Amino acid sequence: MLDDQLIDPTGKHTTDPFPKQEQVPPGLTERMVPQPDHGEQSYRGSLRLTGRRALITGGDSGIGRAVAIAFAREGADVAISYLPDEQVDAEETASWITDAGTRPVLLPGDLRSEQHCKDLIDRTEQEFGGIDLLVLNAAHQRNRSGIDEIPTEDFEYVMRVNLFAPVFLARAAVPRMRPGSSIITTTSIQGFDPSSALVDYAMTKAALVAFTKALAEELGPRGIRVNAVAPGPIWTPLIPSTGWPDTLPEFGRNTPLGRAGQPAELAGAYVYLASDEASYASGAVLPVTGGRGL
C-alpha cells in the first residue's frame, strides 16, 4: 500500500516541452501556456503562521503567488507588491488570500524607487499593525547576447530591482521587526551556476547570497532570522518574458528530474523558513532546483 502513496517527482508535473511563446516584460499569468500551478488546489495549510504579517515583493504571480497562497493558508495576513501592469495577476492572488480567510493588501508600484520601498513597509505596518515576515522575491531578467550588448539602462534596471530594492526594503523593515521575525530572499541557481545569457541577473543573485548571510549574522542577536531559497528552472511569467522563445521547449529538461518546476513546489520551502520550525535556521540557502547542484 505504501507504493500507492508515493508520488514520482519526475512525473508530478508536466514533462511536455513548453510551446514557443514570448511576452513583453513583466509578463502575465493568463497568457502562459500551460498555466503554472501555484498550489491553488493542492496546498493544505496547518496554521503554522497564524497571526503573522507578511509583505511579499513580486507577490502577484509565479513564486510570489505560490508563497502568498501558502502563507495565507498558514494563517498569515499578506501584502503583495507588484508593478501596476500586473494588476490582473495581483487581484487573482488577492482572491486566493481572501479565500484562505486572511487579509490581502495590494501595493502596486515600482521597486526601483527608494521612496516606494519605504512606503511599502509603512503601508504594511499601517494595514496590519506591524510586519513579521519580509519576502524579497521580485526580480527582473532578460536574455543577453553578449556583455558588449547590455544597455546601461537595462543593467541599471536589473540592479535596482534585484539588489537596490532588497536593501531599501530591509533597511526600512528591520527597525520595526520583533524577535521571531523572518526575512527570506529569493536567490537562484544562477547565483552559483551562472549562464552567460543572464550575466547581470546572475550577478545580482550571487550578491543576494552574500546579503542573506551577512544580514543573518547582523540580525541573529536580535532574534531575526534571514534565509534564502534558491530556485532552479521554475515556470513563471518571468520565463516567457525573458526573450527565449526558441529555447522554451527545452526549459528545465537539463535537471536530474528532467523537467521544470512549478511555483507550488517552492511554497513549502518559504513556509518552513518563515515558521518556528526553522527557529535554528539562519543564513541558510535552501535549493529547490530539480536536483541541479549549487
Side-chain angles (χ1 to χ4, degrees):
M1 294 299 294
L2 179 61
D3 289 344
D4 295 335
Q5 299 172 19
L6 296 177
I7 298 175
D8 182 350
T10 64
K12 182 177 180 180
H13 291 281
T14 182
T15 58
D16 294 338
F18 292 105
K20 294 181 181 181
Q21 57 197 283
E22 189 167 12
Q23 294 192 43
V24 175
L28 293 173
T29 304
E30 65 181 0
R31 298 176 185 169
M32 296 177 68
V33 181
Q35 287 285 286
D37 178 7
H38 309 93
E40 293 94 337
Q41 307 304 326
S42 59
Y43 190 89
R44 299 290 180 265
S46 55
L47 302 181
R48 287 182 285 175
L49 302 177
T50 298
R52 307 290 175 89
R53 299 154 301 183
L55 170 63
I56 303 169
T57 65
D60 58 294
S61 64
I63 294 169
R65 178 183 290 183
V67 175
I69 291 171
F71 276 17
R73 292 182 184 175
E74 296 290 352
D77 290 326
V78 181
I80 59 173
S81 84
Y82 55 94
L83 289 169
D85 289 347
E86 300 169 306
Q87 186 67 31
V88 171
D89 273 348
E91 291 175 359
E92 174 70 13
T93 301
S95 72
W96 287 108
I97 296 170
T98 300
D99 182 70
T102 65
R103 184 180 172 199
V105 172
L106 302 185
L107 301 172
D110 191 336
L111 289 174
R112 290 177 295 173
S113 163
E114 180 177 355
Q115 185 60 50
H116 176 62
C117 291
K118 182 179 183 300
D119 291 345
L120 285 174
I121 303 302
D122 289 342
R123 284 286 308 280
T124 301
E125 185 176 51
Q126 290 165 9
E127 294 287 346
F128 296 153
I131 180 169
D132 310 300
L133 300 173
L134 176 60
V135 179
L136 302 169
N137 170 70
H140 179 74
Q141 71 178 31
R142 291 291 291 169
N143 183 57
R144 306 303 188 189
S145 57
I147 191 67
D148 56 329
E149 297 184 13
I150 302 177
T152 299
E153 183 178 359
D154 284 7
F155 181 74
E156 289 181 347
Y157 193 111
V158 171
M159 294 296 138
R160 292 197 72 87
V161 172
N162 297 12
L163 277 184
F164 282 40
V167 172
F168 295 154
L169 288 158
R171 188 172 65 192
V174 164
R176 313 176 199 209
M177 300 182 94
R178 306 170 300 168
S181 297
S182 178
I183 298 173
I184 306 171
T185 65
T186 300
T187 178
S188 170
I189 193 169
Q190 285 290 325
F192 301 87
D193 184 16
S195 165
S196 62
L198 293 173
V199 58
D200 48 347
Y201 174 84
M203 289 167 60
T204 65
K205 293 303 183 176
L208 281 175
V209 173
F211 174 75
T212 298
K213 293 179 177 292
L215 202 58
E217 182 175 344
E218 175 190 343
L219 299 182
R222 296 169 59 173
I224 300 171
R225 296 181 299 104
V226 187
N227 294 288
V229 177
I234 308 297
W235 185 236
T236 74
L238 188 66
I239 303 309
S241 64
T242 294
W244 290 331
D246 294 333
T247 60
L248 282 188
E250 297 302 313
F251 180 67
R253 298 171 78 86
N254 63 342
T255 65
L257 293 185
R259 63 171 177 85
Q262 292 292 327
E265 295 181 282
L266 287 104
Y270 288 85
V271 169
Y272 165 69
L273 292 174
S275 74
D276 291 335
E277 294 172 9
S279 58
Y280 203 57
S282 195
V285 179
L286 180 55
V288 186
T289 63
R292 287 182 61 185
L294 295 187

